[in-house]
Amino acid sequence: MEQQAGLQQRAAMKRHGRRQRARALQQRLLWRMAGYAAIIVSVLVIGLPIYWMLVASLKTSREIYIVPPTWIPLNPTLDNYPDAWRAAPFARYYINSIIVTLATTLSKMTLAVLTAYALVFLRFPGKNIVFLIVLAALMVPAQITIVPNFLTMGDLGLVNTYWGLILPGAATAFGTFLMRQYFMTLPREVFEAAEIDGAGHMRRLWEIAVPLAMPALVTTGLFAVVNEWNEFLWPLIITSTEDMRTLPIGVARLLDQEGLARWGVVMAGTMFVVLPVVVLFVWAQRYIVEGIAAGAVKG
């Protein structure tokens, strides 16, 4: 009898174990389906406007106003692109945007690396206070600094110049914070060994820290590129002539000229701004994930 009771107890435990495994498997399946559903919703919310913009740039004006709207152009045409290019001096806008974006991005990356290295590897009084100031700068909206920045640029005689476009955005609190977090995850033994070998701070920075922190550095650069490439308000305020305008202002001017009459031309002009950023993000998406994940690992 005792042996039979033991067998029944083991059988009951096996059935209970199978039910628990089945329940856990069902929960994992539900969470996975919820994750896929969230991804699909995110793709639709983010990707649908870009898809509509691309499709509208390939439609004729008559087809854009068809109800219900067509998601695939009935008669695709590229005529909107040369029309948009001729409607405004986009070649000049491209040159200005490239100069301002490259100069500001390089400045932000350099200052972020130098500041973050000092906050992590150097000892000086008030280091924690400096870091708190960097964190506080993250919470200040950029719009608040526009008036003092404009007055400063005016006093320096830099209104309507490249320097006036570049200098107010030459440093980044977010990039400094991200680089500091990444530097804190690097093994100190490597830097100590380099110091014993006689390497100074600059050599340790450029030959050890920067190569190891490349994902965070690329992420900082990409955020800077996107921010400067799409910046509208500051270039609109600090520039006053057509030859100093940037791409976002050119698209706004295109909208004023074409208005509701030729949305295909406006969408084609918008693609001039969006397409380089999308290509850049697709190319560097791996670095973005690694950089943000590394910055979130250690506080």
Side-chain angles (χ1 to χ4, degrees), residues 149 153 158-169 234 238-239:
N149 282 339
M153 294 299 107
L158 299 179
V159 175
N160 201 39
T161 64
Y162 286 123
W163 286 112
L165 285 165
I166 294 169
L167 284 180
W234 178 247
I238 198 65
T239 60

Side-chain angles (χ1 to χ4, degrees), residues 192-205:
E192 292 172 357
E195 185 178 4
I196 293 173
D197 290 341
H201 280 297
M202 292 306 294
R203 186 179 171 190
R204 277 178 270 166
L205 170 63

